[in-house]
Amino acid sequence: MDSALMSRGVKRCPTWQFILWLCLFGGVLLWGVYAILLIWLKGLNQTNMNDNYGFALWIWADLGVIALGGGAFFTGFLKYVVGKDDLKNIINYAVIIGFICYSSALLILAIDVGQPLRSWFIFWHANVHSMLTEVAFCLSCYFAVLTIEFIPLILENRQIDKVPFFHNLSHNMHKVMAVFAATGAFLSFFHQGSLGGTPSVLFGRPFSYREGLLIWPWTFFLFTWSAAAYGPCFTLFVTRITEKVTKKKLVKQNTIDLLAKISGWMIATYIIAKIIDTWYWATVTAPSKGFAFMDFYSNNPLYGIWILVLEIVVCGIVPAIILLTPKGRNNSVALFIAVTLGCIGVLLNRWVMVLQVVAMPVMTFDKWVMYIPSWQEVATTILPVAYGIIVLMITYRYLPIFPQEQELNPNP
Amino acid sequence: MFPFSFEWVWDMAHLIFMGGLWYALSILGAGMTYCIIKTIIDTNKGKGCHH
């Protein structure tokens, strides 16, 4: 029925099957939209946020998707600025994944601010002493970059490409894409960094407080580094899932291998920096504020030392070792385990830096404060997942995302 | 925020923050303007008509 919209020489599932899955994820999406409406119409009392948890599940989800979406800026940087041309076979998917992640992040912020109609205040009445202002500026601008990077891909749809203006526009945008990619890398460096810097300038919160270089705490650099390291893991993770679902090989192993190897080096160097940062914080910074290291990991039902071991060893050192060894990269199961652990690792890091920070007591009379999100918060956090799957389904069906698909699957 | 806004102060923080924002937006705007003008010229010349 819709075959005229699909690229030539590729096979897609029957329309009824596509619509059925679309309806399924559309239902989840509508559940999230209902929760959004409740929050916008009735207010933030629909959430379980309180004086302790002003930054709660949403901000974790926000930081999480921004880190996972880092694959777009880093892959773009590698392809257009460094010149790793092999990555052209996966860059389209990285851009779409980045677009989904960043549009989700902006949607979450639109819910979180409570008054989305006043979102423009941050640009017009900017507080130029706030790291979050820088985050808002760079996030919005980088979303514009991702949209610009996404447009040529949409214009390459079989029917749209027949219109000379759109064909030429797509061609011309491709020619200057390096400028947009470089701008995107610049913007990403700063907003990823400022997101890391925000908890670390809170000198009243010794769990997250860090020293640093000039005005930037060490976590400023660690957040950017981790997004560049783990973002490609998410790109590889989604690519692998797509291959499993479609039962097709979509990207050649040499491209996967290259991105995995770069990601492995980035994770390895990041984890060394993270260990040094943690060691210095545990032995110098925290004691100077009157805290012993184990104060942060005891006397509460959830946050034990296991969380630090899981983040650094299981989800840091292990994936780095797998991705750095050719055997690990060439074994599809090991590779999938590594990128999955990588994604969990960066999400865990953001969880710790958002939620454990506000959970732990800072005064002698304080107690650990646990937090359980309301269903509205959960629904609006799951919404981006359903939204992302729907966008991936539509783009995979109608756009030429994978340049090697025909070659790898010659008999559609 | 622009320098003619009542909140504007001529200090380093405003110049860096707002300057950075305008700089990024200018690059994106100039890039897109170039693409659109070049596309109009190309299309008028008949490029891409074989599609």
Side-chain angles (χ1 to χ4, degrees):
Chain A
M1 198 165 76
D2 56 350
S3 56
L5 291 167
M6 296 173 200
S7 301
R8 284 187 200 282
V10 297
K11 193 184 176 194
R12 297 291 180 260
C13 69
T15 309
W16 66 266
Q17 200 177 354
F18 175 68
I19 291 173
L20 190 73
W21 282 106
L22 216 53
C23 289
L24 185 76
F25 290 109
V28 180
L29 188 87
L30 285 177
W31 179 50
V33 170
Y34 173 63
I36 290 178
L37 290 176
L38 278 180
I39 292 159
W40 277 346
L41 294 172
K42 295 190 174 181
L44 292 176
N45 61 358
Q46 297 293 299
T47 73
N48 282 351
M49 290 193 286
N50 52 41
D51 288 346
N52 279 83
Y53 286 95
F55 280 178
L57 187 70
W58 285 331
I59 297 299
W60 164 72
D62 208 58
L63 265 64
V65 291
I66 288 170
L68 294 175
F73 95 83
F74 193 58
T75 314
F77 174 76
L78 290 170
K79 189 202 173 289
Y80 294 107
V81 182
V82 179
K84 296 279 179 195
D85 203 46
D86 270 354
L87 295 177
K88 67 176 185 283
N89 300 314
I90 203 166
I91 186 76
N92 291 343
Y93 216 35
V95 165
I96 294 171
I97 294 165
F99 179 85
I100 292 166
C101 288
Y102 276 80
S103 50
S104 300
L106 288 175
L107 175 70
I108 293 169
L109 288 178
I111 309 166
D112 193 41
V113 294
Q115 285 274 19
L117 292 178
R118 294 183 187 171
S119 298
W120 61 275
F121 276 29
I122 203 160
F123 299 99
W124 198 255
H125 306 291
N127 172 7
V128 293
H129 302 288
S130 166
M131 280 192 169
L132 290 179
T133 304
E134 187 194 327
V135 171
F137 284 6
C138 291
L139 207 65
S140 318
C141 289
Y142 184 56
F143 180 64
V145 171
L146 281 170
T147 308
I148 290 170
E149 288 180 341
F150 194 8
I151 288 171
L153 198 58
I154 297 171
L155 299 179
E156 280 172 16
N157 170 272
R158 197 168 127 198
Q159 297 303 324
I160 299 175
D161 191 56
K162 285 179 181 169
V163 181
F165 179 83
F166 292 141
H167 173 82
N168 291 332
L169 182 60
S170 166
H171 179 71
N172 288 326
M173 286 178 79
H174 272 302
K175 279 204 295 193
V176 294
M177 202 51 82
V179 177
F180 296 127
T183 310
F186 168 80
L187 292 166
S188 287
F189 178 84
F190 279 99
H191 76 246
Q192 299 278 4
S194 288
L195 283 172
T198 304
S200 299
V201 293
L202 303 174
F203 53 84
R205 297 272 175 190
F207 181 71
S208 60
Y209 178 73
R210 295 289 190 282
E211 290 163 49
L213 181 70
L214 302 174
I215 59 165
W216 298 287
W218 295 123
T219 45
F220 180 97
F221 305 101
L222 287 176
F223 262 51
T224 305
W225 206 333
S226 59
Y230 293 109
C233 280
F234 189 59
T235 307
L236 293 171
F237 174 82
V238 178
T239 305
R240 186 77 190 120
I241 297 268
T242 311
E243 287 184 335
K244 276 276 170 204
V245 171
T246 58
K247 299 187 182 79
K248 282 181 191 173
K249 184 81 182 148
L250 297 168
V251 183
K252 278 187 183 173
Q253 188 57 31
N254 66 326
T255 304
I256 300 283
D257 190 72
L258 176 65
L259 194 58
K261 191 176 170 183
I262 293 170
S263 179
W265 276 110
M266 291 296 290
I267 294 175
T269 48
Y270 161 74
I271 256 334
I272 291 168
K274 171 78 184 167
I275 290 169
I276 295 169
D277 171 72
T278 306
W279 174 79
Y280 186 81
W281 160 75
T283 56
V284 179
T285 313
S288 74
K289 304 282 173 195
F291 282 81
F293 174 64
M294 282 310 291
D295 289 342
F296 302 115
Y297 298 101
S298 53
N299 299 323
N300 76 85
L302 180 64
Y303 298 111
I305 192 74
W306 65 269
I307 204 162
L308 189 65
V309 175
L310 183 65
E311 185 196 335
I312 292 182
V313 181
V314 181
C315 297
I317 296 173
V318 173
I321 291 171
I322 295 174
L323 295 177
L324 283 178
T325 49
K327 250 188 183 176
R329 292 196 301 273
N330 289 325
N331 182 322
S332 62
V333 177
L335 180 70
F336 188 67
I337 290 171
V339 295
T340 309
L341 286 177
C343 295
I344 295 170
V346 77
L347 289 173
L348 201 60
N349 174 263
R350 281 12 179 202
W351 179 280
V352 163
M353 292 302 276
V354 172
L355 289 164
Q356 193 175 347
V357 169
V358 288
M360 80 150 296
V362 287
M363 301 288 184
T364 48
F365 50 83
D366 274 348
K367 287 182 180 162
W368 281 86
V369 188
M370 293 296 116
Y371 157 77
I372 297 168
S374 69
W375 75 262
Q376 290 90 333
E377 286 174 86
V378 175
T380 45
T381 304
I382 290 174
L383 181 149
V385 180
Y387 154 74
I389 292 170
I390 290 171
V391 173
L392 288 180
M393 282 171 66
I394 294 171
T395 50
Y396 172 75
R397 191 173 179 81
Y398 298 119
L399 304 178
I401 297 171
F402 298 104
Q404 297 172 317
E405 185 183 350
Q406 273 178 274
E407 188 190 339
L408 291 166
N409 307 275
N411 300 313
Chain B
M1 193 196 298
F2 292 103
F4 51 77
S5 306
F6 73 93
E7 299 147 281
W8 181 268
V9 180
W10 285 101
D11 62 5
M12 200 51 79
H14 278 79
L15 289 175
I16 291 173
F17 262 76
M18 303 313 296
L21 176 67
W22 297 331
Y23 180 61
L25 289 175
S26 303
I27 292 174
L28 300 184
M32 281 310 292
T33 306
Y34 166 80
C35 287
I36 290 168
I37 291 172
K38 177 91 170 44
T39 301
I40 292 169
I41 294 168
D42 288 348
T43 309
N44 286 339
K45 280 182 182 169
K47 270 190 189 173
C49 287
H50 59 283
H51 283 271

